[in-house]
Amino acid sequence: MLNISRLSLSPPHSWASYNLLQPLWDHLLHHHMSLVSSPFFPVILAFSSYIFFSFPFAVLDLLGERLPLFHKYKIQPEKRPTLGMMAKSFMTCLYNHVFFVLPAVIIGMFILPTPTLPQDAPTLYQVFTEGLAVLLLFDTQYFIWHFLHHKNPQLYRWVHAVHHEYKAPFSWSTEQLSIPELMTVGFWSNLDPILLKCHPLSTWCITVLSIGMSVEDHIGYDLPWTLNHLVPFGLLGGAPAHDMHHQKPSSNYAPFFSHWDRIFGTAVGLKKNNV
């Protein structure tokens, strides 16, 4: 999410001064500097994460009833995405990245200051707290944005309706977005770690995690080992909440957590739909 420039590398720190992530960070700085210092690295990381997390669930959808161990958890079992639907969603995402995201990165290279990489790695506690802060901030921003776009017919029609083409979401549909929605989400994703002064490694970790959580929201399976079941007290909505949002768009506006929907009375529990 950050554009980062090269820096002059000094000799490695004393081993006694390392925290747990320092060896990894030193390895990145000394052996992969050209990659992680590229302004295109965050885009590559985000897009490859989308493919990595989406592909296994696409296989599940295509195999369907031939994998009963997984298919029994399908939320809308009779609404199975086709290969054509998957291709359309993926190509929409690819088109958006080639013709809008990459040009935006190139423009940003000329008009934005270029941060440098620190030599010290973050602690695990720092990665956790910075990541949680970014998730909570983004969750709030998107809840407000999402609510407004569902309440305003023009905003919904011209901006958000692209994402609601399918009432039964599937993994590849995670990033089936209009250009305005894509750029809004991208703006927050880049700005929030800067506002919260996150370490670049924390930013990269939260990029992968947030995309993984977004894909998990759209998989269409209420699997017992997904994050919404592993995190206690129903703090995460997960696939059940977001699937219900596609079935009942006036509910479950938050992308990750459940507290805003509970507070504002828009939380709706899962109801299986076999129609």
Side-chain angles (χ1 to χ4, degrees):
M1 296 179 184
L2 293 173
N3 294 334
I4 45 181
S5 64
R6 294 179 179 273
L7 75 162
S8 177
L9 296 177
S10 59
H13 303 287
S14 165
W15 279 96
S17 67
Y18 281 165
N19 65 45
L20 290 175
L21 295 177
Q22 195 65 51
L24 170 63
W25 187 243
D26 287 340
H27 178 79
L28 291 174
L29 295 184
H30 288 272
H31 299 286
H32 301 284
M33 188 63 184
S34 59
L35 174 62
V36 299
S37 65
S38 169
F40 298 101
F41 176 66
V43 179
I44 296 171
L45 183 65
F47 191 77
S48 60
S49 297
Y50 164 63
I51 295 175
F52 175 81
F53 289 117
S54 297
F55 184 78
F57 296 103
V59 174
L60 292 185
D61 280 327
L62 291 174
L63 292 177
E65 294 85 349
R66 284 174 284 180
L67 288 177
L69 177 63
F70 298 100
H71 187 71
K72 66 181 180 180
Y73 296 112
K74 183 75 173 167
I75 297 172
Q76 300 185 63
E78 294 187 5
K79 292 184 178 178
R80 182 170 153 188
T82 65
L83 189 60
M85 292 162 62
M86 296 179 187
K88 179 180 179 180
S89 292
F90 176 78
M91 292 306 296
T92 298
C93 178
L94 181 63
Y95 175 88
N96 289 347
H97 277 73
V98 171
F99 291 102
F100 292 92
V101 176
L102 292 180
V105 172
I106 295 171
I107 293 171
M109 292 168 58
F110 294 99
I111 64 176
L112 297 177
T114 309
T116 58
L117 286 171
Q119 292 186 348
D120 293 329
T123 64
L124 287 173
Y125 176 77
Q126 183 181 351
V127 172
F128 174 78
T129 55
E130 290 178 350
L132 180 60
V134 170
L135 281 178
L136 287 169
L137 178 57
F138 179 85
D139 197 74
T140 302
Q141 293 164 330
Y142 192 79
F143 176 85
I144 297 170
W145 183 96
H146 201 184
F147 180 87
L148 291 175
H149 279 70
H150 273 278
K151 296 304 179 182
N152 186 297
Q154 295 304 316
L155 285 176
Y156 179 83
R157 178 184 177 188
W158 296 108
V159 178
H160 191 52
V162 171
H163 186 66
H164 277 270
E165 180 176 353
Y166 306 114
K167 289 187 177 181
F170 51 93
S171 61
W172 293 117
S173 68
T174 305
E175 296 200 16
Q176 182 171 313
L177 307 173
S178 69
I179 300 305
E181 182 166 358
L182 172 72
M183 302 310 284
T184 301
V185 171
F187 176 74
W188 290 330
S189 298
N190 282 274
L191 180 64
D192 291 351
I194 297 174
L195 292 176
L196 297 173
K197 299 181 179 180
C198 296
H199 191 283
L201 185 58
S202 299
T203 301
W204 301 336
C205 289
I206 201 58
T207 295
V208 175
L209 176 61
S210 62
I211 291 176
M213 292 174 69
S214 296
V215 171
E216 192 172 278
D217 280 355
H218 291 82
I219 58 175
Y221 291 84
D222 186 19
L223 300 171
W225 52 83
T226 49
L227 285 176
N228 58 292
H229 289 292
L230 299 178
V231 175
F233 310 119
L235 295 175
L236 298 180
H242 197 70
D243 202 286
M244 281 306 301
H245 171 71
H246 278 256
Q247 295 182 49
K248 188 178 180 181
S250 60
S251 66
N252 300 342
Y253 295 111
F256 302 133
F257 298 95
S258 60
H259 57 278
W260 289 123
D261 284 301
R262 291 179 180 179
I263 290 171
F264 288 99
T266 53
V268 172
L270 175 64
K271 296 177 182 177
K272 290 219 174 186
N273 180 9
N274 295 317
V275 178

